[in-house]
Each structure stands twice: as C-alpha cells, then as structure tokens.
Amino acid sequence: MLATNDKFERTGGTYPLVSLPMERSPIPPALATMFTAHPFILDSLAYVALTDAKGEWLVIAKYLGGERFEDRCYLKAR
C-alpha cells in the first residue's frame, strides 16, 4: 500500500483479467495502473473487490494467503 491505505500500484501497471472464461478479444481486458481494493469476508472466507480509475471492470478475488489471489468474478460496467 502506498500513501492511501485503500489503494495499491501493481508492478507492471496492469491486472489482466484472464482467470475466467470470457469472450475472445484481440486485447484481453485488464485493470490498469492504480487500483482500489475493498476487502470483505463472506462465509468465513476473505475476498477483495478490485477496480481501477476507469471503473469499467470490477474483479472479485478470493484471498489465498500471502500475495496469492484467485479471481472468482468479473463485472463490467455498461
């Protein structure tokens, strides 16, 4: 976490959305640069909701421990 406790910058600047089957496109969707993270617990499991400044995509990822996450859901704004 950098200066703000609910934001982080991912090394490389993107978080590619490749963990779940989605429509094929020439450029896979991705969150870019600065992310907002909202951790939550559901049924005794830890998750995090991630989005970037564009707000086009919301990622729900299950926390697996350490620095590991498993993307579980992608939501796209219209």
Side-chain angles (χ1 to χ4, degrees), residues 1-10 33-34:
M1 299 291 178
L2 297 172
T4 307
N5 64 4
D6 66 345
K7 295 182 187 223
F8 68 94
E9 186 174 353
R10 181 177 168 87
T33 312
M34 186 65 78

Side-chain angles (χ1 to χ4, degrees), residues 17-45:
L17 310 183
V18 296
S19 293
L20 299 177
M22 295 174 46
E23 292 180 20
R24 300 285 180 206
S25 66
I27 301 172
L31 302 181
T33 312
M34 186 65 78
F35 304 85
T36 301
H38 297 281
F40 63 95
I41 295 176
L42 178 65
D43 295 333
S44 301
L45 298 172

Side-chain angles (χ1 to χ4, degrees), residues 26-70:
I27 301 172
L31 302 181
T33 312
M34 186 65 78
F35 304 85
T36 301
H38 297 281
F40 63 95
I41 295 176
L42 178 65
D43 295 333
S44 301
L45 298 172
Y47 294 87
V48 63
L50 301 168
T51 192
D52 63 4
K54 292 190 306 185
E56 181 180 7
W57 289 94
L58 172 69
V59 177
I60 304 296
K62 180 179 174 184
Y63 178 63
L64 301 176
E67 296 180 12
R68 298 176 319 146
F69 293 88
E70 177 184 78

